Amino acid sequence: MSTYDRSMALAGQPPKEISRNQKIATLIGLSGLAIILLAAFNVSFPNKALWLSISMAAITTGTIWFSWEAYSKKLPGIKNDGVWFKSISSQGFWGWIAGIALTAFYIVLYFYPEYLGLVKDGENKGVIALFDPLSRMLSGNPASQWFVYGTLYTVAILAFGIKFMWKYRHNRYERIRTMSVMFFQTAFAFIIPELMARLNGDKILNGGSLPYYDLKNVWPLNYYNFEGYRIKSFLSSGDIGFALLIFGILSVFVITPILTYKYGKRWYCSWVCGCGGLAETAGDSFRQLSDKTVKAWNIERWVVHSVVVFVTLMTTAVIYSYLGTDTSKYWLTKSTFLIGVAVLLTVVFTLVMVFKRKELQKDAQYGAIGYFVIIMALIGMHFFSGDGNVFLFKSETLRKSYSFLIGSIFSGVIGTGFYPILGNRVWCRFGCPMAAMMGFQQRLFSKFRITTNGGQCISCGNCSTYCEMGIDVRAYAQKGENIVRSSCVGCGICSAVCPRGVLKLENGPLQGRIDSNQVLLGNDVDLMTLVNKK
Amino acid sequence: MENIVIIGNGIAGVSAARHIRKLSDKRIIIISAETDYFFSRTALMYVYMGHMKFEHIQPYENWFWEKNRIELVRGYVTHVQTKEKQLLIDGSRAIQYDKLIIATGSKPNKFGWPGQDLHGVQGLYSKQDLDLLEVNAPNKETCKRAVIVGGGLIGIELAEMLRSRDIPVTFLVRENSFWNGVLPKGESQLINEHIEEHHIDLRLATNLKEIVADENGKVKSVIITETGEELPCDMVGLTAGVTPNIDFLKDSGIELGRGVKVNRFLETNVADVYAIGDCAEQHEAIGNRRPIEAVWYTGRMMGETVAQTICGNRIEYKPGHWFNSAKFLDIEYQTYGWVFSERSKKDHEEHFHWRHATEKLCATIAFDKNSNQFLGINTFGIRMRHEIFDRWLTEERSIDHVIEHLRDANFDPEFYKNYEHEIVSKFNSDFGKSIKPKKKSVRRIFNLKPQHN
């Protein structure tokens, strides 16, 4: 019955048509995309470096100009007017079109790169050829579909990052966090690995070659980090390679836990990570679409933890497959490695069950026990079967299925392609093993929590609606409970959209952090004691 | 099994139901004419503004009620027959009760303005009002101008809503500064400026004379008392406060004042009938509070209290220290303790006021000028930690203590600029003191015992 306009705009108010300037900005942005599209249909551009620059500049300028028009004329503050009236941001027609287009792009990218112009053993054509000059400039090699993707990804994070900073310009936490995400994407995910590739065969690396390594990507997000070919290249590159390998191991077992203890998993998920970076910037317009039902939450917990189990099994199997059995040659043999894994898992499991059992829900306890038994049984199988197979499957089968199911379909096709349908953190929420692992640390030992401000909550629901991770923040806030949830990535938007100043992300003392008491201030103390009696 | 019937599914009624369920196995029935499920009334504005869909402002999923065995009845209670212990829905269906809780909330005030019942004239309180607003003011083409009458919280929210759809708004405020019956003048001035920044045509010290109809009985314009000016408009919002919604109780034998009269146990004069929330009126005001408090959290607290009483633990309604919060367009407001406006301030109450030179930020701290005791604080654009102020009020701290430890009380998001230093030095120069602000202490904030002594 409402008669507001349904526009496609990602910003701006519902009744306002996009302004003339925004129309020009859209035209400029689309012209940049058109160049890429033309290249995809094999229109050959004479000066590729020039046309690529024009294309990227047009996309960036278009996006930035559009958002400047949207936000510069408004006072600083929360700008969610009309989000649910716009087709693109409310799972409407344009939302579905965008979702389908993105998904199609991912399918081509992952499975049919030849349509983008990838030529094996020869000159690239099409879109990929357009990116050759930039790739040669950075790494000295021709572009691949991943280079094209990486460039577009970085451009998206930068352009939409600027939009995000304008949108939340009243909020310094959001501005600083976004600058961090933009920096890590550009430097660590995009430029540094390309420059590292340039060193391959160099004498600094003793003639060896480093694998393509985004230093900020930690196992198990980069599930391939301990595969045979990578270990070989690390080891072939002398001290630098060895240092990187050690760094990779330390980042899992030392750096991540320490930082997560101090700051919660947000140091990674919403300050550093590239997947998080894209979700926060280009995906920001879709954050309200995440499902907040209890049902979605139950699915999430089972799926995301199963992915961790899967990635642990797979990595164990892969490392196992290239280790030897001869104790005189290697200190690390198949058996010692498996025993090591078993010991580590047992220690973690025991510590959690002894010290933190009360903080886990019943189904989480059953799940943990179940998974633990499965992993131990499979490890045990090695010692009884003796034919070099671990876990009944060939490690290669495991690795291939993981990389197809999780690495491609989940993280790419669904994770990003479904932004306009399921919200911007589908991958982080349901699929990312790194997020699950850090979430486990965050839930059980971290100083991070979202503090609730006494009795100020009016249950309005802005916090829950704008939680990209689908946490029902309001459910805690209206009870006056601190919010300690493993899925929280600390984006800070719940606190930003709260009209009453109820929520604050903070790192505080562990003591009293998980406070299941209802501390609704304003009540007489006697009543509170009664209400808290279970 | 005892039958508990609750009239009204707002925060008061629903809190009562939830807590009765926590404490007992009684049969619970909630009757509402407004909606099937509980929603957050204060969030209705965000639905119109497109921040949320209506289902987002429902705090519980729809299965919640059945799972917790809270029966929901949709209907309008027309009679309460206390002798027979039953009530009639829509004049016919009878429901028996053993205990009755009245939690019917409020309705918008109408002061007998000529034309107040025309088409296009409405208040903003219920879900139906919101639906009506979609008819009266769906966009700036249908509603070329709206006039809002009454300068309170609902008025400014309605103005914000209409502005989100680019509808020109004229805002008639009777007082000579926005909400200055509640806010001290510095703060009221800041909000005046902010209203104008949002391109709202704010008319202070202006009263509505009459609302003029067109030939179809729809609003055409309003006439202003002071100047006689006629303002053409398509919609008039009446937001001059609310009154308890209790007309249906007139012949029930339940004692009524402006609201349903209750004692400190939230009991009415009739046995087994209780009233809570906006519609309840205390015989005697509690502390500095008003006898009727139309505030979200007092509704919640009364619900919790009456649940205890009904489940056999008869206790008094004892709200703690006063607090509240609101948002004026882009400016958040919080208050803890009592800061009175010039109009209602007592002689011993002294104010310290600070305002930022350029940003829309300010704070007022009230204290007793004889004893130096801290009485309350208002902040605009700075968030404060509820727990800290609650504690300071209980401990009856001095103003000097509050100023010295102000950093502990800051609740702004991380990396925000802090203004405590500025505030403290303004205080020192205003009152000739030399207080040095203490560094923020996690130990003090979280009230942790020192581990080594």
Side-chain angles (χ1 to χ4, degrees), chain A residues 431-499:
Chain A
C432 178
M434 177 75 184
M437 222 177 63
M438 285 187 300
F440 187 69
Q441 297 166 5
Q442 168 165 291
R443 177 74 178 74
L444 297 179
F445 60 91
S446 166
K447 293 157 91 79
F448 173 68
R449 91 289 304 278
I450 306 175
T451 313
T452 299
N453 205 11
Q456 296 282 10
C457 179
I458 50 164
S459 301
C460 72
N462 270 298
C463 52
S464 292
T465 306
Y466 286 89
C467 176
E468 55 189 351
M469 294 302 286
I471 301 171
D472 190 0
V473 185
R474 166 176 54 194
Y476 299 82
Q478 66 189 0
K479 284 186 275 187
E481 246 180 84
N482 281 348
I483 301 157
V484 182
R485 274 283 290 269
S486 45
S487 55
C488 176
V489 290
C491 69
I493 297 292
C494 57
S495 158
V497 297
C498 176

Coordinates of all heavy atoms in Angstrom, one line a residue, chain A residues 431-499:
Chain A
G431 N 30.5 -20.3 6.9 CA 31.5 -21.1 6.3 C 33.0 -21.0 6.7 O 33.8 -21.9 6.6
C432 N 33.3 -19.8 7.2 CA 34.8 -19.6 7.4 C 35.3 -20.3 8.6 O 35.0 -20.1 9.8 CB 35.0 -18.1 7.6 SG 36.8 -17.7 7.8
P433 N 36.2 -21.3 8.4 CA 36.8 -22.0 9.5 C 37.7 -21.2 10.4 O 37.7 -21.4 11.6 CB 37.7 -23.1 8.8 CG 38.0 -22.5 7.4 CD 36.8 -21.7 7.1
M434 N 38.3 -20.2 9.8 CA 39.1 -19.2 10.6 C 38.2 -18.5 11.6 O 38.5 -18.3 12.8 CB 39.7 -18.2 9.6 CG 40.5 -17.2 10.2 SD 42.1 -17.8 10.8 CE 42.8 -16.4 11.6
A435 N 37.0 -18.0 11.1 CA 36.1 -17.3 11.9 C 35.6 -18.2 13.1 O 35.5 -17.8 14.2 CB 35.0 -16.8 11.1
A436 N 35.4 -19.5 12.7 CA 34.9 -20.4 13.7 C 35.9 -20.6 14.8 O 35.6 -20.7 16.0 CB 34.5 -21.7 13.1
M437 N 37.2 -20.8 14.3 CA 38.2 -21.1 15.3 C 38.5 -19.9 16.2 O 38.6 -20.0 17.4 CB 39.5 -21.4 14.5 CG 40.3 -22.5 15.1 SD 41.7 -22.8 14.1 CE 42.6 -21.3 14.3
M438 N 38.5 -18.7 15.6 CA 38.7 -17.5 16.5 C 37.5 -17.3 17.3 O 37.6 -16.7 18.4 CB 39.0 -16.3 15.6 CG 40.4 -16.3 15.1 SD 40.8 -14.8 14.2 CE 39.6 -14.8 13.0
G439 N 36.3 -17.6 16.8 CA 35.1 -17.5 17.5 C 35.1 -18.3 18.8 O 34.7 -17.8 19.9
F440 N 35.6 -19.5 18.7 CA 35.8 -20.4 19.8 C 36.7 -19.8 20.9 O 36.4 -19.7 22.0 CB 36.4 -21.7 19.2 CG 36.6 -22.8 20.2 CD1 35.4 -23.5 20.6 CD2 37.8 -23.2 20.6 CE1 35.5 -24.5 21.5 CE2 37.9 -24.3 21.5 CZ 36.8 -24.9 21.9
Q441 N 37.8 -19.2 20.4 CA 38.7 -18.5 21.3 C 38.0 -17.3 21.9 O 38.1 -17.0 23.1 CB 40.0 -18.0 20.6 CG 40.8 -19.2 20.0 CD 41.8 -18.8 19.0 OE1 42.1 -17.6 18.8 NE2 42.5 -19.8 18.4
Q442 N 37.3 -16.6 21.1 CA 36.6 -15.3 21.6 C 35.6 -15.7 22.6 O 35.4 -15.0 23.6 CB 35.9 -14.6 20.4 CG 35.0 -13.5 20.8 CD 34.7 -12.6 19.6 OE1 35.5 -11.9 19.1 NE2 33.4 -12.7 19.1
R443 N 34.8 -16.7 22.4 CA 33.8 -17.1 23.3 C 34.3 -17.5 24.6 O 33.8 -17.2 25.7 CB 32.9 -18.2 22.7 CG 31.8 -18.8 23.5 CD 30.7 -17.8 23.5 NE 29.5 -18.4 24.3 CZ 29.5 -18.5 25.6 NH1 30.6 -18.1 26.3 NH2 28.5 -19.0 26.3
L444 N 35.4 -18.3 24.6 CA 35.9 -18.9 25.8 C 37.0 -18.1 26.6 O 37.0 -18.1 27.8 CB 36.4 -20.3 25.5 CG 35.4 -21.3 25.0 CD1 36.0 -22.6 24.7 CD2 34.2 -21.4 26.0
F445 N 37.9 -17.5 25.8 CA 38.8 -16.7 26.6 C 39.2 -15.4 25.7 O 40.0 -15.5 24.8 CB 40.1 -17.4 27.0 CG 40.9 -18.0 25.8 CD1 41.9 -17.3 25.2 CD2 40.5 -19.3 25.3 CE1 42.6 -17.9 24.1 CE2 41.2 -19.8 24.2 CZ 42.2 -19.1 23.6
S446 N 38.6 -14.4 26.0 CA 38.9 -13.1 25.4 C 38.4 -12.0 26.2 O 37.4 -12.2 27.0 CB 38.3 -13.1 24.0 OG 38.3 -11.7 23.5
K447 N 39.1 -10.9 26.1 CA 38.6 -9.7 26.9 C 37.5 -9.0 26.2 O 36.9 -8.1 26.8 CB 39.8 -8.8 27.1 CG 40.9 -9.3 28.0 CD 42.2 -8.6 27.8 CE 42.4 -7.5 28.7 NZ 42.8 -7.9 30.0
F448 N 37.2 -9.4 25.0 CA 36.2 -8.6 24.2 C 34.8 -9.0 24.6 O 34.5 -10.2 24.8 CB 36.4 -8.9 22.7 CG 35.4 -8.3 21.8 CD1 35.2 -7.0 21.7 CD2 34.5 -9.2 21.2 CE1 34.2 -6.4 20.9 CE2 33.5 -8.6 20.3 CZ 33.4 -7.3 20.2
R449 N 33.9 -8.0 24.6 CA 32.5 -8.2 24.8 C 31.8 -7.0 24.3 O 32.4 -6.0 24.1 CB 32.1 -8.5 26.2 CG 31.8 -7.3 27.1 CD 33.0 -6.4 27.4 NE 34.1 -7.0 28.1 CZ 34.1 -7.2 29.4 NH1 33.2 -6.9 30.1 NH2 35.2 -7.7 29.9
I450 N 30.5 -7.1 24.1 CA 29.7 -5.9 23.8 C 29.0 -5.7 25.1 O 28.2 -6.5 25.6 CB 28.7 -6.1 22.7 CG1 29.4 -6.5 21.4 CG2 28.0 -4.8 22.4 CD1 28.5 -6.8 20.3
T451 N 29.2 -4.5 25.7 CA 28.6 -4.2 27.0 C 27.2 -3.6 26.8 O 27.1 -2.8 25.8 CB 29.5 -3.2 27.8 OG1 30.8 -3.7 27.7 CG2 29.0 -3.1 29.2
T452 N 26.3 -4.0 27.6 CA 25.0 -3.4 27.5 C 24.8 -2.3 28.5 O 25.2 -2.5 29.7 CB 23.9 -4.5 27.8 OG1 24.1 -5.5 26.8 CG2 22.5 -4.0 27.7
N453 N 24.2 -1.2 28.1 CA 24.2 -0.1 29.0 C 22.9 -0.1 29.9 O 21.9 0.6 29.7 CB 24.2 1.2 28.2 CG 24.7 2.4 29.0 OD1 25.3 2.2 30.1 ND2 24.6 3.6 28.5
G454 N 23.0 -0.9 30.9 CA 21.9 -0.9 32.0 C 20.5 -1.1 31.4 O 20.3 -2.0 30.6
G455 N 19.6 -0.3 31.8 CA 18.2 -0.4 31.4 C 17.8 0.4 30.2 O 16.6 0.6 30.1
Q456 N 18.7 1.0 29.5 CA 18.3 2.0 28.4 C 17.6 1.3 27.2 O 17.0 2.1 26.4 CB 19.5 2.8 28.0 CG 20.2 3.6 29.0 CD 19.4 4.9 29.3 OE1 18.3 5.1 28.8 NE2 20.0 5.8 30.1
C457 N 17.7 0.0 27.0 CA 17.2 -0.6 25.8 C 15.7 -0.4 25.7 O 15.0 -0.7 26.6 CB 17.6 -2.1 25.8 SG 17.0 -2.9 24.3
I458 N 15.2 -0.1 24.5 CA 13.8 0.0 24.2 C 13.4 -1.1 23.2 O 12.3 -0.9 22.6 CB 13.4 1.4 23.7 CG1 14.3 1.8 22.5 CG2 13.4 2.4 24.8 CD1 13.8 3.0 21.7
S459 N 14.2 -2.1 23.1 CA 13.9 -3.2 22.2 C 13.5 -2.8 20.8 O 12.7 -3.5 20.2 CB 12.7 -4.0 22.8 OG 13.1 -4.5 24.1
C460 N 14.1 -1.7 20.3 CA 13.6 -1.3 19.0 C 14.0 -2.2 17.8 O 13.3 -2.3 16.8 CB 14.1 0.2 18.7 SG 15.9 0.3 18.4
G461 N 15.2 -2.9 18.0 CA 15.5 -3.9 17.0 C 16.5 -3.4 15.9 O 16.9 -4.1 15.0
N462 N 16.9 -2.1 16.0 CA 17.9 -1.7 15.1 C 19.2 -2.5 15.1 O 19.8 -2.9 14.1 CB 18.3 -0.2 15.3 CG 17.4 0.8 14.6 OD1 17.4 0.8 13.3 ND2 16.6 1.6 15.3
C463 N 19.6 -2.8 16.3 CA 20.9 -3.6 16.5 C 20.8 -4.9 15.8 O 21.7 -5.3 15.1 CB 21.2 -3.7 18.0 SG 19.9 -4.4 19.0
S464 N 19.7 -5.6 16.1 CA 19.6 -7.0 15.5 C 19.4 -6.8 14.0 O 20.1 -7.6 13.2 CB 18.4 -7.7 16.0 OG 18.6 -8.0 17.4
T465 N 18.6 -5.9 13.5 CA 18.4 -5.8 12.1 C 19.7 -5.5 11.3 O 20.0 -6.1 10.3 CB 17.5 -4.6 11.8 OG1 16.3 -4.8 12.5 CG2 17.1 -4.6 10.3
Y466 N 20.6 -4.7 11.9 CA 21.8 -4.3 11.2 C 23.0 -5.1 11.6 O 24.1 -4.8 11.2 CB 22.1 -2.8 11.3 CG 21.1 -2.0 10.4 CD1 19.8 -1.6 10.9 CD2 21.4 -1.8 9.1 CE1 18.9 -1.0 10.1 CE2 20.5 -1.2 8.3 CZ 19.2 -0.8 8.7 OH 18.4 -0.2 7.9
C467 N 22.8 -6.2 12.3 CA 23.9 -7.1 12.6 C 24.1 -8.0 11.4 O 23.2 -8.8 11.1 CB 23.6 -8.0 13.8 SG 24.9 -9.2 14.1
E468 N 25.3 -7.9 10.8 CA 25.5 -8.6 9.6 C 25.7 -10.1 9.9 O 25.6 -11.0 9.0 CB 26.8 -8.1 8.9 CG 28.0 -8.0 9.8 CD 29.1 -7.3 9.2 OE1 29.1 -6.9 8.0 OE2 30.1 -7.0 9.9
M469 N 26.1 -10.5 11.1 CA 26.3 -11.9 11.5 C 25.0 -12.5 12.0 O 25.1 -13.7 12.5 CB 27.4 -12.0 12.6 CG 28.8 -11.5 12.1 SD 29.4 -12.5 10.7 CE 29.8 -14.0 11.4
G470 N 23.9 -11.8 11.9 CA 22.7 -12.5 12.3 C 22.5 -12.7 13.8 O 21.7 -13.6 14.2
I471 N 23.2 -12.0 14.6 CA 23.1 -12.1 16.0 C 21.8 -11.3 16.5 O 21.7 -10.2 16.0 CB 24.3 -11.6 16.8 CG1 25.5 -12.4 16.3 CG2 24.1 -11.8 18.3 CD1 26.8 -11.8 16.8
D472 N 21.0 -11.9 17.3 CA 19.9 -11.2 17.8 C 20.4 -10.4 19.0 O 20.1 -10.7 20.2 CB 18.8 -12.1 18.2 CG 17.5 -11.4 18.5 OD1 17.5 -10.2 18.4 OD2 16.5 -12.0 18.9
V473 N 21.0 -9.3 18.7 CA 21.7 -8.4 19.7 C 20.6 -8.0 20.7 O 20.9 -7.9 21.9 CB 22.3 -7.2 19.1 CG1 23.1 -6.4 20.1 CG2 23.3 -7.7 18.0
R474 N 19.5 -7.6 20.2 CA 18.4 -7.1 21.1 C 18.0 -8.1 22.2 O 17.8 -7.7 23.3 CB 17.2 -6.8 20.2 CG 15.9 -6.6 21.1 CD 14.7 -6.3 20.2 NE 14.5 -7.2 19.1 CZ 13.7 -7.0 18.1 NH1 13.1 -5.9 18.0 NH2 13.6 -7.9 17.2
A475 N 18.1 -9.4 21.9 CA 17.7 -10.4 22.9 C 18.6 -10.3 24.1 O 18.1 -10.5 25.2 CB 17.8 -11.8 22.3
Y476 N 19.8 -9.9 23.9 CA 20.7 -9.7 25.1 C 20.5 -8.3 25.7 O 20.4 -8.2 26.9 CB 22.2 -9.8 24.7 CG 22.5 -11.2 24.1 CD1 22.3 -11.5 22.8 CD2 23.1 -12.1 24.9 CE1 22.5 -12.7 22.2 CE2 23.4 -13.4 24.4 CZ 23.1 -13.7 23.1 OH 23.5 -14.9 22.6
A477 N 20.4 -7.3 24.8 CA 20.4 -5.9 25.3 C 19.2 -5.7 26.1 O 19.2 -5.0 27.2 CB 20.4 -5.0 24.1
Q478 N 18.0 -6.3 25.7 CA 16.8 -6.0 26.5 C 16.8 -6.7 27.8 O 16.0 -6.5 28.7 CB 15.6 -6.3 25.7 CG 15.4 -7.8 25.3 CD 14.2 -8.0 24.3 OE1 13.6 -7.0 23.9 NE2 14.0 -9.2 24.0
K479 N 17.7 -7.7 28.0 CA 17.8 -8.3 29.3 C 19.0 -7.7 30.1 O 19.2 -8.1 31.3 CB 18.1 -9.8 29.1 CG 16.9 -10.6 28.7 CD 17.2 -12.1 28.7 CE 17.8 -12.5 27.3 NZ 17.9 -13.9 27.2
G480 N 19.7 -6.8 29.5 CA 20.8 -6.2 30.2 C 22.0 -7.1 30.3 O 22.9 -6.9 31.2
E481 N 22.2 -8.0 29.4 CA 23.3 -9.0 29.5 C 24.4 -8.5 28.6 O 24.2 -8.0 27.5 CB 22.7 -10.3 28.9 CG 22.7 -11.5 29.8 CD 22.2 -12.7 29.1 OE1 23.0 -13.4 28.5 OE2 20.9 -13.0 29.2
N482 N 25.6 -8.8 29.0 CA 26.8 -8.6 28.1 C 26.6 -9.5 26.9 O 26.1 -10.6 27.1 CB 28.1 -8.9 28.8 CG 28.5 -7.8 29.7 OD1 28.0 -6.7 29.6 ND2 29.5 -8.0 30.5
I483 N 27.1 -9.1 25.8 CA 27.0 -10.0 24.6 C 28.4 -10.6 24.3 O 29.3 -9.9 23.9 CB 26.5 -9.2 23.4 CG1 25.1 -8.6 23.8 CG2 26.4 -10.1 22.2 CD1 24.7 -7.4 22.9
V484 N 28.5 -11.9 24.6 CA 29.7 -12.6 24.3 C 29.3 -13.7 23.4 O 28.8 -14.8 23.8 CB 30.3 -13.2 25.6 CG1 31.6 -13.9 25.3 CG2 30.5 -12.1 26.6
R485 N 29.6 -13.5 22.1 CA 29.1 -14.5 21.1 C 30.3 -14.8 20.2 O 31.1 -13.9 19.8 CB 28.0 -13.9 20.3 CG 26.6 -14.1 20.9 CD 26.1 -15.5 20.7 NE 25.7 -15.8 19.4 CZ 24.5 -15.6 18.9 NH1 23.5 -15.2 19.6 NH2 24.3 -15.9 17.6
S486 N 30.4 -16.1 19.8 CA 31.6 -16.5 19.0 C 31.5 -15.9 17.6 O 32.5 -15.6 17.0 CB 31.7 -18.0 19.0 OG 30.5 -18.6 18.8
S487 N 30.3 -15.6 17.1 CA 30.2 -15.1 15.8 C 30.4 -13.6 15.6 O 30.7 -13.2 14.5 CB 28.9 -15.5 15.1 OG 27.8 -15.1 15.9
C488 N 30.4 -12.9 16.7 CA 30.5 -11.4 16.6 C 31.9 -11.0 16.0 O 32.9 -11.4 16.5 CB 30.3 -10.8 17.9 SG 30.6 -9.0 17.9
V489 N 31.8 -10.3 14.9 CA 33.1 -9.9 14.3 C 33.5 -8.4 14.7 O 34.4 -7.9 14.2 CB 33.0 -9.9 12.7 CG1 33.0 -11.3 12.2 CG2 31.8 -9.1 12.2
G490 N 32.7 -7.9 15.6 CA 33.1 -6.6 16.1 C 33.1 -5.4 15.1 O 33.9 -4.5 15.2
C491 N 32.1 -5.4 14.2 CA 32.0 -4.4 13.2 C 31.6 -3.1 13.8 O 31.8 -2.0 13.3 CB 31.1 -4.8 12.1 SG 29.4 -4.8 12.5
G492 N 30.9 -3.2 15.0 CA 30.5 -1.9 15.7 C 29.2 -1.3 15.2 O 28.8 -0.2 15.7
I493 N 28.5 -1.9 14.2 CA 27.4 -1.2 13.7 C 26.2 -1.3 14.7 O 25.4 -0.3 14.7 CB 27.0 -1.8 12.3 CG1 28.1 -1.6 11.3 CG2 25.7 -1.2 11.8 CD1 28.3 -0.1 10.9
C494 N 26.1 -2.3 15.4 CA 25.0 -2.4 16.4 C 25.0 -1.2 17.3 O 24.0 -0.5 17.6 CB 25.0 -3.7 17.2 SG 26.5 -4.0 18.1
S495 N 26.3 -0.9 17.8 CA 26.5 0.2 18.7 C 26.2 1.5 17.9 O 25.6 2.5 18.5 CB 27.9 0.2 19.2 OG 28.3 1.5 19.6
A496 N 26.5 1.6 16.7 CA 26.3 2.8 15.9 C 24.9 3.1 15.6 O 24.4 4.2 15.7 CB 27.1 2.7 14.6
V497 N 24.1 2.1 15.3 CA 22.7 2.3 15.0 C 21.8 2.4 16.2 O 20.6 2.8 16.1 CB 22.1 1.2 14.0 CG1 22.8 1.2 12.7 CG2 22.1 -0.1 14.7
C498 N 22.3 2.1 17.4 CA 21.4 2.2 18.6 C 21.1 3.6 18.9 O 21.9 4.4 19.1 CB 22.2 1.6 19.8 SG 21.2 1.7 21.3
P499 N 19.8 3.9 18.9 CA 19.4 5.3 19.2 C 19.5 5.7 20.7 O 19.3 6.8 21.0 CB 17.9 5.3 18.7 CG 17.4 3.9 18.9 CD 18.6 3.0 18.7

